[in-house]
Each structure stands twice: as structure tokens, then as C-alpha cells.
Amino acid sequence: MPVISLGLGLWQIQRLKWKTDLIAEYESRLVLPPLPMPPLVNPDVVKDFQYRRVTATGKFRHDLEMLIGPRSLEGEDGYQVVTPLERENGSTLLVNRGWIAKKVAEKTKRIEGLPLDEVTVEGILRIPAGRHTFSPDNEVDKGLFFYVDLDQMAAKSGAQPVMIEQFFEYADSDVLASWQELVRLGIPIGRDMKVNIRNNHGQYIVTWFGVSLVTAIMLVVLRRRPASEGMLKQRHMRRYM
């Protein structure tokens, strides 16, 4: 156990460096000027543009809206809203507009959050996390998704299997009041302009090295402990058998 946990600790050091370098690379992309999305996007190259700021102009197809959930925010249940953005060139992209509360999931309850005019969306490109082990099947016909499946969403909406995660900026200096008003109106609360990647490898390093140290001490103690009377009798019997 001391050797195995020591090896895991050393491996986590390598993982920490990899994750730190990755986050630094993504953060450097966020400060670059946004790129206009081309008419057609090759989904295979999105991985090379993760966390790159992009813009796209068009009209939202609210009739083809899809919900991802349940998702909670500040302790309140809700959904992520994905709406196809139809552009003048005829192409359509998927836009994750952000979070809405469950109580305004019906579109009739959030008219203010359904813009009909042409809009320019700014956000980032990112490959969404896939299906978890216990995720149920998506109810594609109902437009309800428990996990993001770009191929299913693209097939349902006629969009390219590429998603922009839209940024959101509070217009009010009072963030709490602004947030409550957005929730009431059903205006989606988009993502922050930052890299949201967990980096727990430092904790894992401390844990595995700690396990290695503790088990090494236990091993030394056990090796130095005097043999019990029963063990001495067994050794004596083996010697004369």
C-alpha cells in the first residue's frame, strides 16, 4: 500500500501540471477578441477552439427550444435553455442561452425572455460533458434532455451539432435584485466569462502522499512489534516438524 499510494501521488503531480497548463491555455483564449462564426462549422475542430469567444447573429427559433435538466442555481430548480439560432446564410447553430427557473419553464410564462428580433450572441465554444452513468434517456420528442447530446439536438432542430454557451452580464449594479428579476421574467442567466474547470489534483496529491506515509509507518510498527506467544509456538512447531 505505501508503494501504490506513492505511485498514485506522483501520477497526480503529473495530472496537476497538465490541468494547470490546460486552464492557463483556456484563460488565454478568453482574452482574445471574439471570432465571428463561419457559415458552416466542422464539429471535429471545435476541440481546438474550446473556450474561444465567438459571435453569431440571427433569430432564435423558440418553437424548437429544448430544455436540459433538472439543473439548479442558487438552490432553485430549473433548466438550461438551448435554442437554435437561424442565420441569414441559412445555417443554424445551437445556443445554450442559460438557466431559467422551473416555475417559468412554459414559454407563455416568460414572454420577456423570448426575443423575436435579430440578436447577436456572444459566448464560447465548448464540448459539453457527455452522459453520466445513471442519466436516463433523453425525451427527444418532448424537447427534454437530461444530458447534452449534440447529435440528437441537431437532428431535432435541423441545426449544426455545434453549441455556443452564451455569456451574460448583469445590467443592474445590485446583482441580487437583478437576479431575482431575471428569474421572475424567465430571462435566461448565461454563463460567466471565466474557465469553469475543476482542479482538485492538489488535494489528491496530499491525500495519496498522506496515505503512503501513514501506511509506511504502520508497516514499520508491525515489523518491529514483538511476536506474540502464539506466533512463537507456531515457529517452534514448524522447526521440529
Side-chain angles (χ1 to χ4, degrees), residues 176-194:
L176 179 59
S178 181
W179 185 84
Q180 292 173 340
E181 182 68 6
L182 293 172
V183 173
R184 185 184 70 81
L185 296 175
I187 297 175
I189 300 175
R191 63 168 295 126
D192 296 329
M193 194 183 299
K194 63 181 181 180

Side-chain angles (χ1 to χ4, degrees), residues 62-78:
H62 300 295
D63 57 318
L64 298 175
E65 176 186 276
M66 293 163 278
L67 301 178
I68 308 172
R71 298 288 188 271
S72 62
L73 182 65
E74 301 294 335
E76 186 166 355
D77 291 336

Side-chain angles (χ1 to χ4, degrees), residues 16-32 50-51 195 197 199:
L16 176 63
K17 183 181 184 307
W18 167 78
K19 184 64 71 66
T20 302
D21 292 344
L22 183 66
I23 292 175
E25 180 183 352
Y26 288 163
E27 288 178 340
S28 67
R29 294 178 184 177
L30 276 177
V31 300
L32 296 174
Q50 289 211 85
Y51 284 93
V195 178
I197 298 180
N199 188 2

Side-chain angles (χ1 to χ4, degrees), residues 8-9 12 199-210:
L8 290 172
Q12 286 297 330
N199 188 2
N200 298 325
H201 296 291
Q203 300 175 17
Y204 298 150
I205 291 171
V206 173
T207 299
W208 285 119
F209 281 159

Side-chain angles (χ1 to χ4, degrees), residues 5-55:
S5 54
L6 177 63
L8 290 172
L10 294 173
W11 177 66
Q12 286 297 330
I13 290 177
Q14 298 176 354
R15 295 284 294 173
L16 176 63
K17 183 181 184 307
W18 167 78
K19 184 64 71 66
T20 302
D21 292 344
L22 183 66
I23 292 175
E25 180 183 352
Y26 288 163
E27 288 178 340
S28 67
R29 294 178 184 177
L30 276 177
V31 300
L32 296 174
L35 292 171
M37 291 292 288
L40 294 176
V41 182
N42 182 357
D44 294 333
V45 304
V46 172
K47 63 181 183 298
D48 299 323
F49 289 86
Q50 289 211 85
Y51 284 93
R52 188 67 168 86
R53 290 166 57 195
V54 296
T55 60

Side-chain angles (χ1 to χ4, degrees), residues 105-163:
E106 295 182 15
K107 288 194 283 286
T108 56
K109 298 181 180 179
R110 49 184 170 91
I111 301 301
E112 293 85 349
L114 304 174
L116 301 178
D117 297 332
E118 186 176 75
V119 296
T120 297
V121 172
E122 181 176 350
I124 62 168
L125 290 177
R126 197 173 71 87
I127 299 176
R131 183 177 188 174
H132 298 296
T133 304
F134 300 104
S135 297
D137 293 335
N138 290 326
E139 298 179 6
V140 180
D141 294 339
K142 297 180 180 179
L144 179 61
F145 291 76
F146 300 100
Y147 63 94
V148 178
D149 188 315
L150 292 179
D151 291 332
Q152 288 182 344
M153 290 180 168
K156 177 176 176 57
S157 62
Q160 300 176 61
V162 176
M163 181 180 290

Side-chain angles (χ1 to χ4, degrees), residues 77-97:
D77 291 336
Y79 302 93
Q80 293 285 326
V81 180
V82 176
T83 310
L85 182 71
E86 196 172 73
R87 301 190 286 173
E88 288 186 356
N89 57 31
S91 65
T92 304
L93 297 171
L94 298 170
V95 178
N96 186 337
R97 300 182 60 208

